[in-house]
Structure formats: C-alpha cells, structure tokens
Amino acid sequence: MNRPDNILEQPLAVQPSSFEDDEIDLFDYVEQLARRRWLILCITCLFGLSGLLRDLLSSQPERFQAEATFMPEVNPGLLNLQFYQNLQVDISRLDRLNALLAGKLTGILKSFPLNRKVIQKTYTYTLNGQEQTTDLLSYFEVKTFPAAFKSIQNSIEFKPDSGLITIIVQTRSPELSAAIANEFIHQLIAYQQEKYRAQFQQQLDVLKARQDELLKPLEQAEADLTEFQMRNRNLSLGTGITLFLTPDQSIQYLRLKRKVEIRTSLLTTVLNEYEVAQLASRKVVNDIEILSQAEIPEFSIPPTLRTNTV
C-alpha cells in the first residue's frame, strides 16, 4: 500500500469531547425533587405515622426515674493559702475550680472500674410485681461486663450544672432506679477514700524510711560520744565521773555532743510528722456533699411519643 510521504505533516483530526454530555447539572436534580415533592412528603409522613402507631399500639414497659444530687467540696489543700488570706476572693476562680472538680468527678463516674463495682452489687427490687435479688448483669440479661457497661450507660445520665452533679437513672423498677443512683454516689465516696488512704500510706512510708535513715547515724553519734567520754574520764573521790579535758579535747567533745543533738532534733521532727500523718490517715476525708439522695419514685415517666416519632 502506498503511504503519502507527508503523513507526519498532516494535522490530526480533532475528536469531539464527550465530557459535555457527561456533565452533571444540579438544577436537573432540583427539578426532579421539586416535581416529586408530594411523593417525598407522603413517604416521610407515612414513616412518621407508622412510628407513632407503633408506640401507641405496642405495650412498652413502664420506666421509673430517680435522681440524686451532690456537690464537690473544695479541699483547702488544693489551693494556695494566700487565696484565703486575701480579702478580695476571686469568685470566678472558685467557680472555675468547682467546674473543674465537677468535670473530674463526672469522668470518674463514667469510668469502667467504678461502673463495674455498681454492676457487681446485688440489688433487691420489684419487677413486674415480683421481688428480685440480682446484680445488673441479670437485670440487663447480658453475660459480660462490657455489655452491661454499655447498657447502664444508656440508662443513666450525669448532668453537671453550676458545680452540682445530678445522677439520673431510668429502669423498669422504681427501687432499682433509686438504688443505682445512690450506689454511684457510694462508690464515688469509696473511690475518694481509697485514693486518700493511698496518698497517706505513701506519706507514711516515706516518713518511716526517713526514720530509719536518721536512726543509724544518731546511734553512731551517740556511740562516738560515749566512747570519747569513756576514753577521757577520770574518777574523783566519791563524786562520780569527772572529765578533765584539754582545749582540743573540749572542742572535740562539743562537736560530738552537737552532732548528737542535731540528729536527735531531726529524728524528733520526723517522728512528730509521722504521728500527724497517722492521725490524718484515720480521718474520714470527704470531698462530696450529698444534697439529695435518690428516693423511690411513685409514678413512671410518660412515654416520649414525640421524640420516638421524630
């Protein structure tokens, strides 16, 4: 086949682009939605009415709500002493501190270790007219703690407001709702007590170790002083032990005696601190003031038909 010599010089034919045909026009979709607006509205209303009918016709179990409220108390040890000595107390600073404490305690209430203890506790309550004595694993009909933890989080709410924390519990039993709310406060107080006991025990261990450190040098200093006295003593006629010292020996004697006195003073100070720490460890430290414990509700809460329908 004969090919033209100037084939490379011939311009290539430009093919029509198909991008214009594939371009998406948003106005076309808007036009389709507007054209079928009644169909969309009818389908939406149909699903809403079906949800409303389901709530009205279905026999939903009654739910009872109990609330407990407490307030975190500011520990003076957490603040600078000048904060109290100043006559013009910064109220905004105190409010911020209360908010921080409330947020911290709310985080502890939501923690898995504390919830695990609440789940493990055995409760006595009435359900469907029958008295039950079970833990929350049996109540939620689950076998693992993570599943029970998820279920209890769906049944409880912690609401911090202006430094106050309200625990709201909803269950199918009025006694159980009140018992769970009060148990959360009890476990929170127990957690705080355990934390303070651990802190005091750590302080006692440090002071005890310091006593051992000071006791050995004191015993050595006392032994050196006794040895010096025995080495330089001279018995007088019926008057007991009398020391006859040269000036250099007097200086050495004063140094040994001062060393014993200093180490005795240090050990006395540590012993006093140890006694104070022991007394403090036996005190009941509570950073929580319970304003209202949960009471057993008399009536169930009404079903939220509007929310379920939406």
Side-chain angles (χ1 to χ4, degrees):
M1 179 180 294
N2 296 328
R3 300 174 63 182
D5 297 336
N6 59 348
I7 186 172
L8 298 177
E9 299 178 358
Q10 294 181 358
L12 297 176
V14 179
Q15 299 295 331
S17 176
S18 61
F19 291 106
E20 297 180 358
D21 298 337
D22 297 337
E23 184 178 356
I24 299 176
D25 191 356
L26 182 61
F27 292 99
D28 292 340
Y29 287 98
V30 175
E31 182 181 359
Q32 295 296 330
L33 292 176
R35 186 179 302 174
R36 294 174 173 81
R37 61 185 181 275
W38 295 111
L39 177 61
I40 297 173
L41 181 61
C42 291
I43 293 176
T44 304
C45 293
L46 179 62
F47 278 99
L49 290 175
S50 63
L52 178 60
L53 291 176
R54 179 184 63 84
D55 290 336
L56 292 176
L57 298 179
S58 62
S59 57
Q60 294 183 352
E62 291 183 322
R63 298 188 66 84
F64 298 87
Q65 177 173 301
E67 298 182 5
T69 305
F70 67 92
M71 178 179 64
E73 293 184 344
V74 178
N75 190 343
L78 299 177
L79 299 177
N80 190 349
L81 184 60
Q82 295 180 355
F83 180 76
Y84 290 99
Q85 293 177 345
N86 190 2
L87 296 178
Q88 298 178 351
V89 179
D90 189 358
I91 303 299
S92 61
R93 180 184 175 186
L94 186 59
D95 292 339
R96 289 194 301 269
L97 182 58
N98 287 331
L100 289 175
L101 290 175
K104 179 181 178 181
L105 295 179
T106 302
I108 297 174
L109 288 170
K110 294 181 179 180
S111 64
F112 183 79
L114 190 141
N115 280 260
R116 185 186 182 96
K117 295 181 179 180
V118 175
I119 294 170
Q120 287 178 327
K121 182 177 175 58
T122 301
Y123 302 91
T124 301
Y125 56 94
T126 303
L127 184 62
N128 299 327
Q130 297 181 356
E131 185 174 334
Q132 306 285 339
T133 302
T134 63
D135 56 13
L136 295 185
L137 286 171
S138 301
Y139 170 77
F140 291 118
E141 299 179 352
V142 295
K143 296 182 179 180
T144 62
F145 283 101
F149 175 72
K150 183 177 181 180
S151 299
I152 197 174
Q153 291 300 311
N154 294 330
S155 303
I156 196 166
E157 181 183 3
F158 305 102
K159 293 180 61 176
D161 183 20
S162 302
L164 303 179
I165 300 178
T166 302
I167 303 175
I168 305 174
V169 182
Q170 291 185 9
T171 66
R172 291 174 292 153
S173 170
E175 297 88 357
L176 185 60
S177 296
I180 292 177
N182 292 327
E183 183 63 21
F184 266 97
I185 295 182
H186 173 73
Q187 291 297 337
L188 181 60
I189 294 176
Y191 171 84
Q192 295 289 83
Q193 293 294 330
E194 184 178 356
K195 181 186 69 173
Y196 284 120
R197 280 196 296 266
Q199 292 178 352
F200 284 125
Q201 187 59 46
Q202 183 180 6
Q203 184 179 2
L204 290 173
D205 293 341
V206 172
L207 293 173
K208 183 63 177 177
R210 184 56 179 165
Q211 290 180 31
D212 297 337
E213 293 177 358
L214 293 175
L215 187 59
K216 294 180 180 179
L218 176 59
E219 292 176 350
Q220 184 62 41
E222 291 175 341
D224 294 341
L225 180 61
T226 302
E227 181 184 358
F228 179 85
Q229 291 174 340
M230 296 295 295
R231 191 172 59 246
N232 297 279
R233 70 180 180 177
N234 188 5
L235 295 177
S236 61
L237 296 176
T239 60
I241 299 176
T242 306
L243 294 179
F244 297 93
L245 304 176
T246 64
D248 293 338
Q249 290 175 335
S250 299
I251 295 176
Q252 186 179 0
Y253 172 75
L254 293 176
R255 287 177 179 174
L256 292 173
K257 184 178 179 181
R258 183 168 61 249
K259 191 175 183 179
V260 171
E261 292 174 350
I262 291 175
R263 295 196 178 279
T264 302
S265 177
L266 290 175
L267 182 60
T268 302
T269 302
V270 174
L271 289 174
N272 291 334
E273 293 180 358
Y274 186 82
E275 291 297 326
V276 172
Q278 272 193 328
L279 292 176
S281 64
R282 297 171 184 172
K283 293 181 180 179
V284 178
V285 181
N286 189 9
D287 289 344
I288 298 173
E289 180 181 355
I290 302 176
L291 300 181
S292 62
Q293 289 188 339
E295 300 291 340
I296 299 176
E298 298 181 2
F299 306 99
S300 62
I301 58 176
T304 55
L305 297 179
R306 181 187 305 175
T307 304
N308 294 339
T309 304
V310 172

